[in-house]
Structures are given as C-alpha cells and as structure tokens.
Amino acid sequence: MAKISVLGSGSWGSALALLLHNNGHEVLLWSARPEDARKLRETRENPTRLPGVHLPEKIEIMTDLERALRDADAAVLAVASPYIRSTAHKMAPFVREGQKIVNVAKGIEEKTLKTLSEVIEEEIPQGDVAVLSGPSHAEEVGRGIPTTCVVSAHTQETAEYLQSIFMSPVFRVYTTPDLLGVELGGSLKNVIALAAGTADGLGYGDNTKAALITRGITEIARLGKKMGAQMETFYGLSGIGDLIVTCASVHSRNRKAGYLIGQGRTMEQAMDEVQMVVEGVYSARAARELAEKYEVEMPIITEVNKVLFEGKPAAEAVMDLMLRDKKVETPMLPWK
C-alpha cells in the first residue's frame, strides 16, 4: 500500500482519488478552495463535476498543502493546466528530494511554450516528475468503466512503480519512455477536438469528423517529430486514442465548447457555458506558436486560432480547409 496525495478536487482528481483508494492505497485529496473541500467532506460527492460518484470516508479531504505532501510516496497533480505553475510553486517547499509527482493535466504553457512537466520541473527541481495520459474521461473512470492509459517518466523504474500504483482490473496502464510525445499528444488533441466540436455544431457529419481526426493526428505527429518526440507515440493511447475520445465523447469539454462555437457562440460565451476549464483554448495559441517556431504546417490548428481569437466564422474556416491546394497524403511513399 502506498500513500498518495491527489492535488486538485475537480472531476479528474476526484475520479483518480477513488481509483487509487479502490486499489488499496491511502489517499489524501487536496483542494485549493476551502468551500469546495467543506462541501466534499459533508456530501462526499461533487454534483456539478462528477455527479453520482461517491468518495468514501477513508479518503481524507484537506486544504493544508504541507500536510497533504508530507510522507506521500507520490503526488498526483490534477489541477487544470493554467494553474499548474502556481500550484507547483506552492508545492515546492514541501516536496522532498526524489518525491514522485505525476502530472495528469494536459496542456502547453502559453507564455513559455513549455510542456507541463517542464513547468513542474522548473518550479520543483527536486521532484521526480512523470506524466499519466490517455483516453480517460473522469466521468467514466469514476464509475469504474474499463479504461487504458500510459505513464511516462525519466526512468523505467519510476514509470513501472507508478504503473503498479494505478493499475487495476478496470484501469490498465502501459509505460513509455517518450515523455515529450505523451504530453504533446495529450495537449494538442484538445485543439483538434475544438475543431471537431465546431463541425458538429455546424451540422456536419461523421465524414467531417473522421477527416479532422485523421488529419489532426497527422499535424500533431508532424510537429512532435520535429520537436524530438517519437512517431510511434502518436499512434498510441496518448495520441490517436486520446484524440478519438476527445473528438467524439459527450463528456469532452473541448468538443462541447467547439460545438457551441459552431452554433454561433463566441469563445468567451462557450467557455462560460461549459463552466469548466476548456484546456484546448489555452493550448491553441501555444500550438500555433510552436508550429511557427519549428516551421511545421498545421492548417487545422491555424484555422482554430482564427476562429477563437480573430472572429473568423467557423463555416468559413472549414471551407478554407477544404479548398487548400491539392496535396499528397503520403509524401514519404514513392510511386512505382
């Protein structure tokens, strides 16, 4: 049995706290908001974020960060991506040398273009930082629906240790050494999901969504390879797997925000209506800047940015994607 602190009491943090508790571990759930912690202690449920999922009394809920991290074998960092740096900064004085920190948020820091593990390592250089990612909506993990994820770390030993902690009959975990690829896949798929949701909101069909998913993973992999990630990662759980579920699922906040934009809402109106952090909006600008920095063509990412931040009509963006110059799908394959 391990002692694990889950930092962040939203839907994903709560679902993972329950999973780890059911795996037989001692689990502490930390919330940055005293009022949220009080309600969770009283009701043992988060009715707005994770309705119908009960948190057992043995999961201790607290707001004392030092106490949450004290003697923990691992800390699961489950706050939304825009708050990763500020939370890591607060954690730093209480993290001991080599303490394992598992980031489960998905995003790229807009100002620095750093991955979230890089942000955490910058704030907590003494920590042993890893990432858990994959097609895993909290609503289903909280209900014990079979799910598969991938964990990556700087060492095989850390990855396999974390694999053993999270693994269960309903939560299968693979390992990979490609930390960068896992993070890029998990963050950039949110931007493609905004596009897929927008197409749904415009009333387009399955053909359109399939095109966005397929060409979207091509864009993500193209950038990832240029940045030093492994192509195989993007064909795995944190790449095409996470992209499929985020583009198609009713649970996806990114798809939902895109759907609302497709129906005519502004980006701000869509985010207000979703009432949760839409991480694809925060990753979109960073994705476009990375594409420019590494000189990679990413037309879907480019059009999403124009819709989000430049007021371009969504239908016009789709038309411009369709009317791009003729291309070869597999330029690496020769004609006989």
Side-chain angles (χ1 to χ4, degrees):
M1 182 181 78
K3 182 178 180 181
I4 305 170
S5 297
V6 179
L7 309 177
S9 61
S11 56
W12 195 208
S14 297
L16 288 175
L18 179 60
L19 168 76
L20 292 164
H21 166 79
N22 289 340
N23 286 359
H25 303 300
E26 179 185 348
V27 179
L28 306 174
L29 181 59
W30 174 84
S31 175
R33 300 183 179 91
E35 181 61 19
D36 289 353
R38 184 187 65 78
K39 286 181 180 177
L40 272 177
R41 278 194 294 266
E42 290 175 356
T43 65
R44 312 304 298 185
E45 184 183 340
N46 193 329
T48 57
R49 301 284 179 86
L50 206 61
V53 175
H54 177 77
L55 296 177
E57 294 290 338
K58 283 191 175 181
I59 296 177
E60 192 172 354
I61 300 163
M62 62 183 63
T63 55
D64 186 335
L65 190 54
E66 180 179 8
R67 184 168 159 238
L69 290 168
R70 190 185 306 144
D71 302 324
D73 297 299
V76 179
L77 192 44
V79 300
S81 60
Y83 307 109
I84 286 289
R85 184 177 290 278
S86 59
T87 304
H89 184 76
K90 293 173 186 172
M91 291 167 61
F94 313 122
V95 174
R96 66 180 182 275
E97 186 70 33
Q99 191 168 9
K100 293 173 177 59
I101 301 169
V102 190
N103 172 52
V104 297
K106 299 170 182 178
I108 297 168
E109 189 172 55
E110 189 176 336
K111 292 180 180 178
T112 65
L113 303 185
K114 292 179 183 292
T115 63
L116 298 184
S117 69
E118 289 172 333
V119 170
I120 297 165
E121 287 170 342
E122 199 168 83
E123 296 292 339
I124 314 174
Q126 74 273 29
D128 183 4
V129 179
V131 174
L132 176 78
S133 192
S136 50
H137 283 304
E139 294 83 354
E140 296 187 3
V141 172
R143 288 159 48 208
I145 291 176
T147 299
T148 306
C149 280
V150 61
V151 67
S152 186
H154 292 294
T155 66
Q156 183 177 354
E157 180 185 10
T158 294
E160 289 179 351
Y161 173 78
L162 295 170
Q163 179 185 40
S164 68
I165 283 176
F166 283 97
M167 193 94 158
S168 86
V170 294
F171 198 82
R172 181 169 178 78
V173 183
Y174 290 83
T175 63
T176 178
D178 188 11
L179 191 64
L180 175 61
V182 169
E183 289 203 89
L184 288 175
S187 57
L188 297 180
K189 57 90 185 178
N190 285 328
V191 189
I192 305 300
L194 283 168
T198 300
D200 285 343
L202 287 165
Y204 298 151
D206 294 338
N207 294 351
T208 314
K209 183 172 290 184
L212 287 167
I213 290 172
T214 309
R215 297 310 303 170
I217 198 64
T218 300
E219 290 189 18
I220 293 169
R222 192 186 293 145
L223 175 63
K225 186 177 180 182
K226 197 76 177 284
M227 291 178 65
Q230 301 303 307
M231 187 66 76
E232 293 84 355
T233 303
F234 301 107
Y235 303 139
L237 290 163
S238 65
I240 192 67
D242 208 356
L243 181 61
I244 289 170
V245 79
T246 311
C247 288
S249 175
V250 295
H251 301 307
S252 169
R253 66 190 75 168
N254 292 281
R255 180 199 162 274
K256 183 177 179 182
Y259 181 84
L260 294 169
I261 290 169
Q263 289 197 318
R265 278 32 161 234
T266 65
M267 180 263 287
E268 291 83 2
Q269 289 169 336
M271 290 182 71
D272 288 343
E273 194 162 332
V274 171
Q275 293 185 328
M276 296 172 78
V277 173
V278 181
E279 298 192 319
V281 171
Y282 294 92
S283 295
R285 278 200 184 105
R288 181 166 64 175
E289 289 187 38
L290 284 171
E292 293 170 356
K293 177 180 178 180
Y294 288 92
E295 299 180 336
V296 175
E297 188 179 27
M298 301 184 77
I300 299 174
I301 298 289
T302 299
E303 292 299 330
V304 168
N305 272 275
K306 289 178 180 178
V307 171
L308 289 177
F309 307 117
E310 298 174 20
K312 184 172 184 175
E316 188 180 320
V318 174
M319 186 61 65
D320 285 349
L321 284 170
M322 294 297 291
L323 294 176
R324 292 173 65 241
D325 290 343
K326 289 178 281 187
K327 299 283 184 180
V328 176
E329 183 183 32
T330 52
M332 73 295 293
L333 300 181
W335 292 96
K336 291 183 180 179

